[in-house]
Amino acid sequence: MMLSKRIVKETQRLMSEPVPGISASPLNDNLRYFNVAISGPVESPFEGGVFHLELFLTDDYPMAAPKVRFLTKIYHPNIDKLGRICLDILKDKWSPALQIRTVLLSIQALLSAPNPDDPLANDVAEHWKSNEKDAIATARDWTKRYANTQ
Amino acid sequence: MDTLLAQMVDMGFDAEVSRFALEQTHCAGVQPAIEFIYAMNDKPNAAGFKPSTPQRQTTTTIDNNNNNNNNTSSLGRQGTSSLSQPTKKIRTSIRDSNESFDSDEEYYQDVDDYEFDSPIVEVANVTNTVIQASEIAKTALKEIEKITNITDATPCAATLMLLKYQWNSNKLLEQYYEDPDRVMKQAGVPEKEEFTAFASVKGEDCIVCMDDLSRKNGCFLSCNHAACVQCWTTYVEGKISEGESISMTCLAYKCGTIVSDSFIKKVIPQYYNKYLERLALTFVDKNPNMRWCPTAGCGNALKADSQSESIAQCTCGFRICFKCNQESHIPASCDQVKQWKKKCEDDSETANWISSHTQDCPKCHSAIEKNGGCNHMSCKKCTHEFCWICMGNWKGHSNCNAYKKEENSNKSETKKALERYLFYFHRYNTHEQSKKFETKLRKGALDTIMAFQNKKDKRWIDVKFIETSTEVLIQCRRTLKYTYVFGFYLQDGAEKNLFEYLQNDLERTTENLSGMLEKGEDQNVQQLKEMTNLASTKLNHLIEGVEEGLTAHGTKKKF
């Protein structure tokens, strides 16, 4: 399938005006597949880490949401151990007016504000609700262990 | 005309009716006239002539006995017009059986006197409306039109309001007259339904594909989120295929502006019909008085005519319980069936193993697979006749429906419980299997009727009741199936004894009827008719018995 004008424009803009703390670049041989890196937001348990994700634009894009998944292990109540993300705009709240940029910004925001009341990883969410301090410590530990670039 | 008329009278049609039918079909022949009569019978007022049509009665509500008091006396012979299949319900209840059971005698006497005019006793009829699949969209649109005519709201607004009030137009209108603005607001009717289509929007790109909108290709709703025609089309197409219709909103993120039907009609006319079809589905989905017929490929909608109605029947023959959306399960309650089904799922491994489809002949032990609904089996090999349910000798076999507690108390409690469950499950399952076979008879009923006509030289009218017999048989089977659920949860005692007596009674009659119907044209018409009536009567006894409480202490059961 030919790459739509929209995907070309979006890609150009992502490269020329990158979002702070987010990088996204398509593969050379598949311009619908993006390698994404999001740095952990400051004052979050993920601060200091760099999280790698994959993002794929299906043939239905932009009528259907892109497929996004964490590749880096992360301790977060809305992200499961396969890296799948529970985020409304990736599901029923998707609008064709949203873009790769807005999706990645929403994921970054999710890192700053975990929502244990709408969990994907139940055990993590339970931990978060019963002992937030301890859960945050685990998240920090995981960040150091798996998302540390040094 | 006279020859045709004579022919029809000869075939057993009423002279007056025949004449009218012939006139209406311009004397085209006997066949069109007969078809006309049957069509007229279905739609009594269509031709301005009213042949006697069966009166429908509601027997599903509990307190309707008072209406039926006059029926016992009028059970006698009906007029000679063979068109009529008078629907009579013999009033029965266990407590006053003496008083009303003479109707049974009366009935049989009746049969002797007037051999070919015995009425068919009808069982628990239901009075719901069936909306054919093809009519659903039209019916929904009529409702919308009704509201637009009265309130001069736009079709879009009317639909939103109807949805809000679950398609209850009376309630909607009542509230609308009190405070139209509040109703409109609650239903989410947009203040402005304006939109712009095929406009050139200078300097702006489509928010979806980023094409520029300078070529008369921009469309937007009152919220001004502009996208090109192509993107709107793809968007609406996707939303419709996801099942959305009137609730569809603007394609911009978090924008709640409703995409009105007029917008779709103008911008995406090719999907307008699909859109209306989807809308019609909400007419059934969101309407508490309506249900889809669960039969695969049926697609009809069932509408209960009153709130108290709990059972509805589709033209395809399926009966549904309106409360739990399952097959009608009289005499068991919704909860019992739910509990039972869960139990069956849990225990299915064992149950499947035990009640697998073959059983060994109790005499010669050859494996036998049942290929019909009748439980009166005769072994091909040794000609031994036995009951498929209890495996006992058919001769002198009377009641196999009561679970006999074994005195031997060596068995553990759990094993006993399992055995008890399997006992009921086996019977439940057998009746289900039989019902499946007998549902096939429904399709063959017409062939049987034809065969009867040819072989026995009977008039069509005399054998047409076979259709009814098949329906009665299926109803008996369905009820019997659920009597085992009901029985499983019934406490031991006088009530249970009485219930099992009625159940046994019905079971035997049903087996007889089933055997007769399966034999097809070799049957005696009169015997078959009698058996049908007997089965309906027994079925009525059982249902009413349970409805009214089997004993004086028994609690009333509600379905």
Side-chain angles (χ1 to χ4, degrees):
Chain A
M1 197 179 154
M2 217 185 71
L3 215 56
S4 70
K5 188 172 171 184
R6 156 147 176 181
I7 297 180
V8 175
K9 277 201 174 178
E10 269 200 73
T11 313
Q12 281 169 354
R13 193 158 162 240
L14 276 171
M15 309 298 255
S16 59
E17 311 163 35
V19 193
I22 298 176
S23 81
S25 50
L27 293 188
N28 283 332
D29 55 351
N30 186 351
L31 296 170
R32 289 177 170 274
Y33 187 95
F34 288 73
N35 276 321
V36 179
I38 299 180
S39 10
V42 281
E43 285 174 19
S44 80
F46 311 101
E47 187 176 353
V50 174
F51 297 87
H52 291 278
L53 297 90
E54 57 178 4
L55 182 147
F56 182 67
L57 306 174
T58 61
D59 287 349
D60 296 336
Y61 184 80
M63 289 304 162
K67 307 250 175 265
V68 199
R69 189 171 79 93
F70 271 83
L71 297 173
T72 310
K73 259 172 91 83
I74 181 167
Y75 198 76
H76 190 288
N78 309 103
I79 300 161
D80 72 2
K81 51 185 167 196
L82 296 175
R84 294 177 300 191
I85 308 160
C86 177
L87 186 61
D88 57 355
I89 60 157
L90 292 177
K91 292 173 182 114
D92 55 320
K93 291 287 187 302
W94 172 254
S95 147
L98 290 169
Q99 302 183 0
I100 302 175
R101 173 185 296 268
T102 41
V103 167
L104 296 180
L105 276 168
S106 298
I107 294 174
Q108 199 180 35
L110 189 67
L111 295 186
S112 298
N115 179 11
D117 292 323
D118 181 23
L120 187 61
N122 275 318
D123 46 340
V124 182
E126 264 325 300
H127 192 191
W128 222 275
K129 278 203 271 194
S130 59
N131 188 348
E132 193 174 335
K133 220 173 158 185
D134 192 50
I136 288 175
T138 312
R140 259 187 233 288
D141 181 45
W142 280 38
T143 307
K144 237 183 234 155
R145 236 194 289 173
Y146 305 108
N148 205 332
T149 43
Q150 275 103 48
Chain B
M1 165 114 181
D2 286 342
T3 347
L4 291 175
L5 186 61
Q7 268 183 39
M8 287 187 65
V9 172
D10 201 39
M11 286 167 83
F13 288 95
D14 185 79
E16 196 192 344
V17 175
S18 307
R19 187 188 303 278
F20 178 74
L22 282 167
E23 276 167 11
Q24 290 296 313
T25 54
H26 312 290
C27 298
V30 176
Q31 201 54 38
I34 295 177
E35 275 162 21
F36 176 81
I37 291 172
Y38 282 120
M40 195 164 65
N41 222 8
D42 290 341
K43 284 181 281 177
N45 296 318
F49 182 91
K50 197 173 187 297
S52 37
T53 48
Q55 315 163 282
R56 298 247 139 181
Q57 285 173 339
T58 321
T59 53
T60 44
T61 46
I62 303 214
D63 296 311
N64 63 347
N65 290 328
N66 308 340
N67 313 334
N68 299 323
N69 285 340
N70 50 351
N71 282 346
T72 32
S73 54
S74 61
L75 194 80
R77 186 183 180 224
Q78 294 296 309
T80 42
S81 165
S82 317
L83 274 176
S84 60
Q85 277 190 353
T87 325
K88 285 290 163 256
K89 187 185 152 220
I90 303 179
R91 181 170 174 249
T92 50
S93 92
I94 309 302
R95 265 166 275 137
D96 54 6
S97 55
N98 288 339
E99 169 201 328
S100 56
F101 262 60
D102 44 59
S103 55
D104 234 279
E105 269 174 44
E106 209 176 283
Y107 161 70
Y108 281 113
Q109 210 176 355
D110 212 47
V111 168
D112 291 341
D113 291 351
Y114 311 102
E115 211 195 327
F116 292 113
D117 282 312
S118 57
I120 294 286
V121 180
E122 240 181 82
V123 277
N125 231 325
V126 284
T127 59
N128 60 289
T129 318
V130 177
I131 303 178
Q132 299 295 321
S134 54
E135 295 292 312
I136 294 170
K138 265 187 228 163
T139 320
L141 290 178
K142 247 185 231 159
E143 285 286 312
I144 296 169
E145 208 180 292
K146 185 173 138 197
I147 301 296
T148 51
N149 285 344
I150 299 176
T151 63
D152 49 69
T154 61
C156 174
T159 316
L160 284 168
M161 289 192 292
L162 275 167
L163 273 178
K164 171 78 189 164
Y165 284 89
Q166 300 179 313
W167 293 89
N168 183 341
S169 49
N170 292 337
K171 198 174 158 201
L172 160 63
L173 288 172
E174 205 177 280
Q175 303 264 323
Y176 185 85
Y177 285 127
E178 265 176 32
D179 190 350
D181 291 340
R182 189 176 52 91
V183 172
M184 302 265 265
K185 206 174 169 190
Q186 276 178 349
V189 176
E191 281 172 28
K192 285 183 287 180
E193 226 181 84
E194 295 156 6
F195 60 88
T196 311
F198 310 112
S200 297
V201 194
K202 293 251 162 64
E204 252 189 75
D205 289 344
C206 164
I207 57 166
V208 179
C209 69
M210 299 182 178
D211 259 348
D212 66 75
L213 296 174
S214 57
R215 290 170 287 114
K216 287 198 171 178
N217 57 344
C219 306
F220 47 91
L221 302 164
S222 57
C223 53
N224 290 330
H225 293 120
C228 70
V229 176
Q230 187 51 48
C231 287
W232 271 112
T233 308
T234 330
Y235 176 74
V236 169
E237 181 191 4
K239 287 287 171 187
I240 289 177
S241 69
E242 280 167 25
E244 283 195 39
S245 55
I246 190 74
S247 51
M248 204 186 295
T249 54
C250 168
L251 40 65
Y253 179 53
K254 280 193 172 167
C255 177
T257 313
I258 298 276
V259 182
S260 67
D261 63 320
S262 43
F263 179 83
I264 290 175
K265 200 172 180 178
K266 173 94 183 183
V267 180
I268 316 133
Q270 67 271 39
Y271 285 113
Y272 189 59
N273 277 337
K274 272 246 164 71
Y275 174 85
L276 290 183
E277 275 168 31
R278 278 290 163 193
L279 194 63
L281 297 190
T282 70
F283 174 62
V284 182
D285 287 341
K286 302 276 157 83
N287 193 329
N289 285 341
M290 291 189 80
R291 298 283 186 278
W292 293 107
C293 171
T295 310
C298 176
N300 291 348
L302 309 171
K303 185 172 194 288
D305 292 339
S306 72
Q307 287 286 350
S308 58
E309 214 65 59
S310 58
I311 301 166
Q313 179 157 1
C314 180
T315 41
C316 75
F318 192 87
R319 273 199 182 196
I320 185 176
C321 167
F322 248 65
K323 291 193 181 129
C324 64
N325 277 336
Q326 304 284 328
E327 177 186 47
S328 164
H329 46 67
I330 284 176
S333 72
C334 297
D335 284 346
Q336 283 173 342
V337 171
K338 205 171 153 194
Q339 222 177 322
W340 175 258
K341 291 222 161 129
K342 193 173 176 294
K343 192 168 173 54
C344 290
E345 260 170 40
D346 294 347
D347 299 347
S348 60
E349 289 296 318
T350 335
N352 283 342
W353 182 78
I354 299 199
S355 62
S356 54
H357 296 288
T358 66
Q359 291 196 103
D360 289 349
C361 165
K363 210 170 174 191
C364 71
H365 302 291
S366 21
I368 294 174
E369 187 189 10
K370 199 152 92 81
N371 61 354
C374 177
N375 289 319
H376 177 178
M377 307 294 287
S378 55
C379 176
K380 270 252 165 85
K381 222 169 175 182
C382 67
T383 68
H384 176 61
E385 290 181 35
F386 63 97
C387 166
W388 182 257
I389 295 182
C390 70
M391 303 304 282
N393 201 326
W394 188 264
K395 264 180 207 155
H397 147 276
S398 59
N399 53 339
C400 69
N401 63 320
Y403 177 69
K404 290 180 190 67
K405 279 188 189 160
E406 278 184 50
E407 298 304 315
N408 187 351
S409 56
N410 289 340
K411 288 176 184 164
S412 68
E413 284 300 313
T414 40
K415 193 161 183 206
K416 269 193 228 159
L418 180 67
E419 275 189 1
R420 178 172 182 272
Y421 161 69
L422 286 175
F423 174 89
Y424 282 95
F425 179 78
H426 175 53
R427 277 152 182 76
Y428 167 86
N429 204 32
T430 311
H431 283 300
E432 167 66 18
Q433 295 299 334
S434 294
K435 189 166 79 72
K436 274 189 192 151
F437 283 120
E438 283 153 3
T439 309
K440 286 182 192 149
L441 285 181
R442 187 186 270 152
K443 284 180 197 128
L446 207 63
D447 296 335
T448 317
I449 291 174
M450 301 300 269
F452 256 113
Q453 252 187 305
N454 295 335
K455 197 156 182 175
K456 298 264 173 164
D457 196 26
K458 292 281 182 203
R459 292 174 301 177
W460 169 271
I461 285 305
D462 293 329
V463 286
K464 196 177 179 296
F465 76 93
I466 290 173
E467 278 182 350
T468 319
S469 303
T470 317
E471 288 309 315
V472 168
L473 175 63
I474 294 170
Q475 277 199 47
C476 286
R477 278 291 179 212
R478 183 175 47 227
T479 310
L480 277 172
K481 181 178 143 192
Y482 289 105
T483 56
Y484 282 103
V485 178
F486 183 76
F488 183 76
Y489 293 110
L490 196 60
Q491 299 286 325
D492 283 343
E495 199 182 351
K496 187 161 190 168
N497 291 343
L498 202 53
F499 174 74
E500 283 181 347
Y501 170 78
L502 289 171
Q503 186 188 34
N504 179 36
D505 217 18
L506 177 62
E507 208 160 46
R508 270 186 301 157
T509 319
T510 306
E511 294 307 342
N512 282 338
L513 181 61
S514 171
M516 283 181 154
L517 278 171
E518 276 182 2
K519 273 188 205 156
E521 74 264 32
D522 296 333
Q523 267 314 308
N524 179 320
V525 175
Q526 200 46 45
Q527 276 177 5
L528 184 53
K529 210 169 199 176
E530 281 170 23
M531 196 49 76
T532 307
N533 280 341
L534 195 61
S536 321
T537 314
K538 304 272 187 213
L539 182 58
N540 281 335
H541 290 179
L542 186 117
I543 293 176
E544 284 170 27
V546 175
E547 269 181 13
E548 288 164 20
L550 289 156
T551 58
H553 305 292
T555 43
K556 275 195 173 186
K557 297 280 179 290
K558 284 195 174 184
F559 300 113

